Amino acid sequence: MNGEPAPSDTVPERSDHGSPDAARAPAPEHGRQHGWEHGRERDGELSPHASPEDLLRLLVGDHPERLVHVHEVPARRARLADWPEWVDPTLLGALLASGIEAPWSHQIEVAEAAHAGRHVVVSTGTASGKSLGYHLPILTDLASGASAPNGRGATALYLSPTKALAADQLSRIDRLALPAVRPATYDGDTPTDERRWIRDHANLVLTNPDLLHHSLLPGHERWSSFLRALRYVVVDECHVYKGVFGAHLAAVLRRLRRVAARYHSEPTFVFASATVADPEEHASRLLGMPVHPVTVDGSPRASMTFALWEPPLLVDETGQPKRVSTITETGELLAACVREKVQTVAFARSRAGVEVVARIARERVPVTDESRVAAYRGGYLPEERRELEKALRSKELLGLAATNALELGVDVSGLDAVLLAGWPGTLSSLWQQAGRAGRSGERSLAVLVAADDPLDTYVVHHPEAIFGRGIEATVVDPDNPHVLAPHLAAAAAELPVTEADVAVFGPQTRALLDALVARGILKKRPRGWFWGREDRPADHLSLRGAGEPVRIIETRTGRVVGTVDDAAAHSQVHTGAVHLHQGQTWVVTELDLDDHAAFAVRGDPGWTTQAQSVSDFQIMHEVEHEEWGPLRCSFGHVTVRNQVTSFLRRLPGGEVLGEHPLDLPARSLATKAVWWTMPVEELTGAGVEEDGIPGAAHAAEHAAIGMLPLFATADRWDIGGVSTALHPDTGLPTILIYDGHPGGAGFAERGYRRVRTWLAATREAIASCECAAGCPSCIQSPKCGNGNEPLDKRGAVALLDLTLRHAGSAQQRPREGRS
């Protein structure tokens, strides 16, 4: 049975109270604000009764069954420290004048480590002022370097995953008005005439890894004076760099270290992160060098009320169970908060979802408040985003629907409540988003509104999965050959790769270099490996996806309106696809795979499309396995083949208008997977008859994919699965869950290491769902290539009971695999 395909490309607990930001302590001191991010006084507009408890009672109204659980996150008191003697006096005066009387302890620990030249990672809670810790040594050294003959005896590079975050950092530095510091953002929006000035004169450049990869490193000669003085590199929000994206960043940082060494500089790297399980290991793997961790949070934190909310389950006109949409429920909750003058941000996972939440909220507030509700997402012009951020800070905006662009550190202070439309993917993101509330020192409210998904259903009914549980370990594999090989080619184009560079890039380097030579991509010479072609390898490599992105081109004008990842193109922009982009509906008239272009016309035909596909897999090498009596669980290398064969046209109510064939080539993905096998006679004995195996295995596969993000730092869309009643490589019914990225991303391996807990949660998620025969909350998948057929809820529970019974009685001793 074909399961749900994954795109080939596509984010330590300190107390027993659940929140990584919480600690057992009294309430914070009021009257003084400390740290880089400081609060604002209320303007008196908000309702005086709107405490978290009062607001929650108001939201619940006559539907108490929607409120599944309430958790109180306790307050934490500030831990202060003294200013270091080496801080530049002008900088210190500017900080004191801005209202920062004393720094917090973790800020000074970071500052002292970086000032001493030690690579450091700071992993503390949201709004804990991490940036002040690294700005103290950076801005001090930039000021002292201004006396050099060229005016920049020291330079610094700041890398962030989003343009909005870099712009926010720039505005903070500009507010200090330090005459010796010349900061500038350098990204795709920077005008050409400004770029030369930045290269020649700026001493603090704020950019992103993509520009570093595509522009700065390939053109390092033009940056020679900047690189020669490079003293610090900041990698902000480094928890975002996980899986394949993290492997790309790891390669880019190694390339940066090589190029910096060419200009005789050895910069100190500073990583800043939301709370992750092992920041030291994560940052060290990204950099390829030891990194000192700073994890004890010295900032104060007011208490937070955290509610778990489940929209009601209704019955549609066909008699099938259907839960109220998470987006609809969140929009109504946002409107209720705005009506009470409670400033609230609602996070949704997609751009389209953000627009719908904002629209629903605007429809449900008084006319006088419609202008005080807005959406915030990628795709807006920079000036539009800045205007929205300004309106939110000034409280002109009361309700904002946002993507995670606001999660990633944009300085928004004084919010009263946060709504989360569905599980955000990881515990780290959940606490990062929830932490946007309460930033002014006041008590706050966070509400997780469950989506119609097995994982969401599970976590709202098992609050221990959120509260009292450590943050996920972040998975990064810098040695992924599918990522490292093209970066070695890019490195050779920047500077010839030498024997000494093998230690920089890791143990696989030599074999990959030889393979690149054999393919004619590099040339081997006595002095090393050289790029011998006229084009630039960096132009063919995207950090945020493998393969060349497919452009969406407006047929009438030839204008490029957007892009999709190469791997997603077959299912999202095939000929005839209805594609939503930045809130606008487009119909694809042609997909040209050779030209990496999809041609589309604007318009809404009144239906949606859903790609149908077939999948199979081949086991290439079993790395290790466990024997579970007659069952076997394995981890290893596989090749997954997926082919989009047709698409369905559906009306808004779900009715199918027709199925249309497509002639698209099959795609192969070499990746890593976890799989387990079950003899037919064992399944029969457990109550799953032979003709019911496909439906039972398919349903268990869907639910297992939905639950894996709870145990690995993954998103459902990063993972794929295939199930079959008889696989030629095993000769048995087999369920396989795989990483949807070339070479693997570590998610399947993480699942294998915790397979008993993972499958037990999967079984519980299916069995506890109140539907009769299966629904999106348990076994149906939003991306199933087979249209969610066949599925057997009862059979899936029986199959998982069988699996867990044998897994529980077997010894947990991994064994080496076999080819």
Side-chain angles (χ1 to χ4, degrees), residues 539-561:
D539 293 340
H540 306 291
L541 174 63
S542 169
L543 301 189
R544 301 174 194 255
E548 185 176 341
V550 173
R551 298 160 294 149
I552 303 171
I553 299 174
E554 186 175 23
T555 303
R556 183 175 59 84
T557 64
R559 177 175 64 100
V560 176
V561 297

Side-chain angles (χ1 to χ4, degrees), residues 550 566-577 588 590-594 597-598 610-614 641-647 660-668:
V550 173
D566 176 60
H570 287 212
S571 58
Q572 292 187 18
V573 290
H574 56 76
T575 301
V588 178
E590 180 189 359
L591 172 60
D592 187 335
L593 294 175
D594 293 331
Q610 180 181 12
Q612 304 290 286
S613 63
V614 294
R641 286 179 293 272
N642 178 265
Q643 183 175 18
V644 175
T645 57
S646 63
F647 69 95
H660 305 271
L662 292 169
D663 183 19
L664 290 168
R667 301 181 65 96
S668 291

Side-chain angles (χ1 to χ4, degrees), residues 331-351:
E332 292 180 345
L333 291 175
L334 180 60
C337 292
V338 170
R339 288 195 298 268
E340 293 300 307
K341 301 298 186 284
V342 174
Q343 193 177 40
T344 306
V345 167
F347 285 103
R349 299 196 61 184
S350 69
R351 295 178 176 184

Side-chain angles (χ1 to χ4, degrees), residues 27 38 60 147-148 172 184 219 243 305 328 361 368 393 419 455 519 544 595 622 666 686 735 761 768 772 775 806 818:
H38 45 85
V60 169
S147 60
R172 297 187 198 185
T305 299
T328 300
T368 53
R393 292 189 184 105
L419 308 173
L455 177 54
R519 292 167 56 192
R544 301 174 194 255
D595 194 34
E622 183 189 67
I735 297 175
S768 64
C775 69
H806 285 293
R818 63 191 181 201

Side-chain angles (χ1 to χ4, degrees), residues 294-313:
V294 174
T295 57
V296 178
D297 195 334
S299 65
R301 175 82 201 190
S303 63
M304 171 189 289
T305 299
F306 205 126
L308 305 183
W309 187 285
E310 185 172 42
L313 188 66

Side-chain angles (χ1 to χ4, degrees), residues 42 47-61 67 69-75 302-307 309 337 340 342 416-417 442-447:
R42 291 177 173 268
S47 300
H49 70 274
S51 69
E53 295 84 1
D54 289 335
L55 180 58
L56 199 52
R57 279 193 290 271
L58 176 77
L59 297 178
V60 169
L67 185 61
H69 181 79
V70 178
H71 180 86
E72 196 69 22
V73 179
S303 63
M304 171 189 289
T305 299
F306 205 126
W309 187 285
C337 292
E340 293 300 307
V342 174
D416 301 280
E442 301 289 339
R443 296 179 61 212
S444 58
L445 174 68
V447 181

Side-chain angles (χ1 to χ4, degrees), residues 420-724:
L420 293 85
W423 178 257
T426 65
L427 272 172
S428 178
S429 287
L430 178 124
W431 289 113
Q432 186 87 339
Q433 292 181 2
R436 294 296 113 183
R439 294 164 69 96
S440 62
E442 301 289 339
R443 296 179 61 212
S444 58
L445 174 68
V447 181
L448 171 62
V449 183
D452 214 1
D453 178 90
L455 177 54
D456 287 54
T457 302
Y458 182 85
V459 296
V460 296
H461 289 281
H462 294 79
E464 70 277 6
I466 298 176
F467 311 112
R469 177 170 172 261
I471 299 299
E472 309 93 342
T474 304
V475 180
V476 176
D477 181 11
D479 297 323
N480 184 331
H482 297 268
V483 174
L484 184 55
H487 279 283
L488 289 172
E494 292 152 7
L495 295 168
V497 177
T498 66
E499 291 287 347
D501 294 326
V502 173
V504 174
F505 286 105
Q508 292 207 64
T509 302
R510 179 175 294 281
L512 292 174
L513 289 170
D514 291 341
L516 290 170
V517 171
R519 292 167 56 192
I521 295 173
L522 297 183
K523 297 182 183 300
K524 179 70 170 69
R525 297 288 184 264
R527 292 190 297 112
W529 290 264
F530 289 73
W531 175 256
R533 295 162 52 172
E534 293 184 1
D535 58 341
R536 301 194 324 167
D539 293 340
H540 306 291
L541 174 63
S542 169
L543 301 189
R544 301 174 194 255
E548 185 176 341
V550 173
R551 298 160 294 149
I552 303 171
I553 299 174
E554 186 175 23
T555 303
R556 183 175 59 84
T557 64
R559 177 175 64 100
V560 176
V561 297
T563 62
V564 297
D565 288 341
D566 176 60
H570 287 212
S571 58
Q572 292 187 18
V573 290
H574 56 76
T575 301
V578 177
H579 183 69
L580 190 66
H581 180 76
Q582 295 188 8
Q584 300 173 351
T585 303
W586 299 78
V587 178
V588 178
T589 58
E590 180 189 359
L591 172 60
D592 187 335
L593 294 175
D594 293 331
D595 194 34
H596 296 278
F599 297 90
V601 295
R602 175 92 173 274
D604 186 350
W607 61 75
T608 61
T609 54
Q610 180 181 12
Q612 304 290 286
S613 63
V614 294
S615 300
D616 62 67
F617 65 93
Q618 181 180 359
I619 298 172
M620 308 306 294
H621 173 65
E622 183 189 67
V623 175
E624 55 185 281
H625 74 275
E626 290 184 20
E627 298 284 358
W628 295 344
L631 279 64
R632 181 185 181 102
C633 182
S634 306
F635 168 74
H637 300 269
V638 300
T639 296
V640 180
R641 286 179 293 272
N642 178 265
Q643 183 175 18
V644 175
T645 57
S646 63
F647 69 95
L648 303 178
R649 289 188 299 134
R650 291 182 182 272
L651 291 173
E655 302 92 334
V656 176
L657 292 175
E659 182 173 1
H660 305 271
L662 292 169
D663 183 19
L664 290 168
R667 301 181 65 96
S668 291
L669 172 67
T671 185
K672 294 176 183 174
V674 55
W675 65 93
W676 75 98
T677 58
M678 304 142 288
V680 173
E681 58 271 19
E682 291 289 333
L683 287 167
T684 302
V688 182
E689 299 298 331
E690 190 165 354
D691 61 355
I693 292 175
H698 193 198
E701 169 219 322
H702 278 185
I705 291 171
M707 293 303 296
L708 183 54
L710 193 61
F711 303 93
T713 312
D715 184 281
R716 182 178 187 133
W717 299 87
D718 290 326
I719 309 161
V722 187
S723 54
T724 176

